[in-house]
Amino acid sequence: MPNVAFVAPFYLPTTLRFLEAAAGLADVRLGVVTQEPIEKAPASLRQRITAYARVDDALSAEGIHVGLRQLASDLGSVDRLLGALEDLQVPLGELRDTLGLPGMGAEAARNFRDKSRMKDVLRAHGLPCARHALVRDEAEPTAFSAETGFPLIVKPPAGSGARGTFRVETPAQLRTAIAMSRPSADRPTLIEEFVVGEEHSFDAVSIGGRLLWHSINHYLPSPLEVLREPWIQWCVLLPREVDPPRYDEIRRVAPPALDALGMDTGLSHMEWFRRPDGAVAISEVGARPPGAQFVTLISHAHDFDLYRAWARLMVFDDFDPPARPYAAGAAYLRGRGRGPVRRVAGLEEVARELGPLCVEWRLPRAGQAQSASYEGEGYIIVRHPETEVVEEALGRIITRVRVELGT
């Protein structure tokens, strides 16, 4: 019976779903390292946790190691160490190296976490990605823009979920973005060319470095456009069709890309572009499960629990590739204005029209605080055996539901 340590710095809703999946595995003794009091966890979850350690910093290797030592008296030595957050992957890799545990080590984790290093690795292996540079002062961005032209993307090297990312189209906008990011020798900023094309994700399961299964999503519109326009209600579409020819190129490129970066066993999330001529460019890759309800979306499309499958994959190196009987899509409901949710319109109309197509939702409520996330104030997930039906349903949701913010 393996002893598994799960690092959950905070009990966010998605983190709890991964934690509950790990706690539900048979023949596993589970310990949790967290910054939260145990009382904040659901009672049903607390009953399935063998050991618990509360630490001051569950996002650093040192803080997590303190927690592992606290777990030892109740759990014993750890056989597997896991966590789902992007920020955890390097410290977890450092501890696996130190403790001799299986799974991704620190060097590979840094390939995924440092977006400039990631692109260096990909280019060294002849794999397509945007031209980029790490800039440490105000002169370097000007030189890069003179070489590549506009538009450009400015973002932190260790960002995730498009946080802190800007599209700049003029020298003046570039100067403003660089001034906001305040690059230095110790804290550089990543600048890269803007790739024109459709944006997608390539979510994949690997075991021992071998890509075993994948899923491709469509962004409608792109995440960067969503960040530029905070009022946009956006969608992600997962078609039922698994292997259409238009994705042959990313299926050719993705396995060597994951191999070059050092993907071992786990669920990875690759952002990529399909250019108008059919060529592809990798944007960035995370060595962790995708966010923004993607795991939930994939679960509905395949009619299985990807949260539980991820936990089993990470603990037992086991994954049974599922069939895909449905297309699925998520519509993210973002408010117009600033402040708490003042009014939500159109939900009843959408509910009447779509009915059983809606399989999961978190609906905005009047009075709730404005979300700090690009996911917005709520979401609705729909599914159907036909991709066109799901795409039409998503269009109805984002055009008819309106979330108004303000006091």
Side-chain angles (χ1 to χ4, degrees):
M1 180 178 293
N3 294 332
V4 176
F6 191 111
V7 182
F10 309 102
Y11 290 154
L12 304 173
T14 301
T15 299
L16 284 174
R17 292 182 82 158
F18 284 110
L19 183 52
E20 288 170 345
L25 293 177
D27 301 323
V28 167
R29 301 176 74 243
L30 183 67
V32 177
V33 178
T34 181
Q35 294 175 209
E36 302 274 26
I38 193 171
E39 294 77 17
K40 281 194 67 175
S44 59
L45 176 60
R46 295 200 302 267
Q47 296 172 1
R48 294 179 288 170
I49 294 174
T50 302
Y52 166 86
R54 187 179 184 187
V55 298
D56 294 331
D57 183 5
L59 286 166
S60 71
E62 296 79 8
I64 297 168
H65 203 180
V66 169
L68 296 180
R69 290 194 291 267
Q70 292 179 23
L71 294 179
S73 59
D74 293 323
L75 191 67
S77 61
V78 171
D79 300 304
R80 296 284 174 138
L81 177 63
L82 56 146
L85 297 179
E86 169 91 6
D87 295 353
L88 285 173
Q89 301 314 310
V90 171
L92 292 181
E94 291 172 347
L95 283 171
R96 292 187 189 111
D97 291 342
T98 298
L99 302 175
L101 296 175
M104 179 174 290
E107 283 303 297
R110 292 188 185 100
N111 286 342
F112 288 92
R113 182 68 173 137
D114 184 328
K115 307 311 179 187
S116 177
R117 173 170 165 164
M118 172 191 299
K119 289 180 171 61
D120 287 339
V121 171
L122 294 176
R123 286 199 170 276
H125 286 77
L127 296 162
C129 61
R131 288 177 292 174
H132 73 287
L134 276 180
V135 299
R136 298 168 176 81
D137 58 37
E138 295 183 0
E140 290 178 322
T142 301
F144 183 82
S145 65
E147 177 185 347
T148 61
F150 290 93
L152 295 170
I153 303 299
V154 178
K155 60 185 177 182
S160 65
R163 290 192 294 268
T165 300
F166 303 94
R167 172 179 170 172
V168 298
E169 301 185 8
T170 66
Q173 290 179 358
L174 178 59
R175 288 192 295 271
T176 299
I178 294 299
M180 291 174 62
S181 61
R182 294 181 295 177
S184 64
D186 296 330
R187 189 173 172 273
T189 293
L190 178 62
I191 183 170
E192 63 184 45
E193 67 173 323
F194 178 78
V195 178
V196 176
E198 303 169 355
E199 190 164 0
H200 304 271
S201 75
F202 184 95
D203 302 291
V205 167
S206 301
I207 296 181
R210 183 172 66 91
L211 197 155
L212 192 67
W213 170 90
H214 73 272
S215 175
I216 295 175
N217 287 347
H218 299 212
Y219 291 104
L220 307 168
S222 72
L224 188 59
E225 187 67 21
V226 171
L227 288 177
R228 289 181 65 199
E229 304 290 354
W231 55 269
I232 286 179
Q233 298 188 129
W234 59 292
C235 303
V236 171
L237 172 66
L238 196 166
R240 182 179 181 183
E241 298 74 26
V242 177
D243 294 320
R246 71 195 310 261
Y247 301 132
D248 285 349
E249 185 64 9
I250 190 60
R251 283 194 292 269
R252 182 187 70 81
V253 167
L258 292 171
D259 183 60
L261 294 169
M263 189 65 204
D264 184 13
T265 294
L267 176 58
S268 58
H269 176 66
M270 177 183 295
E271 306 279 351
W272 63 281
F273 293 91
R274 185 176 187 271
R275 300 179 188 268
D277 64 359
V280 304
I282 297 170
S283 175
E284 55 187 56
V285 195
R288 42 75 184 172
Q293 304 301 323
F294 277 32
V295 175
T296 306
L297 185 66
I298 294 170
S299 295
H300 283 299
H302 294 84
D303 208 21
F304 89 133
D305 187 345
L306 184 56
Y307 293 94
R308 183 175 178 84
W310 174 84
R312 184 165 185 84
L313 169 71
M314 300 301 292
V315 174
F316 295 110
D317 296 336
D318 179 60
F319 183 81
D320 185 15
R324 185 184 297 175
Y326 300 101
Y332 301 88
L333 308 177
R334 304 204 305 166
R336 293 172 179 260
R338 297 185 63 85
V341 174
R342 179 165 57 90
R343 178 173 174 267
V344 182
L347 281 176
E348 292 183 0
E349 178 186 357
V350 164
R352 284 195 304 270
E353 290 183 0
L354 301 184
L357 290 180
C358 301
V359 292
E360 184 170 320
W361 52 83
R362 179 170 58 80
L363 301 179
R365 301 184 308 277
Q368 79 178 52
Q370 181 177 2
S371 171
S373 166
Y374 64 96
E375 293 183 42
E377 280 60 54
Y379 65 86
I380 299 174
I381 292 178
V382 296
R383 75 173 181 182
H384 188 272
E386 298 178 19
T387 301
E388 293 77 10
V389 173
V390 170
E391 190 167 9
E392 182 184 357
L394 294 174
R396 290 188 186 184
I397 293 170
I398 63 172
T399 56
R400 299 187 184 189
V401 176
R402 284 289 176 267
V403 182
E404 299 175 7
L405 306 179
T407 55

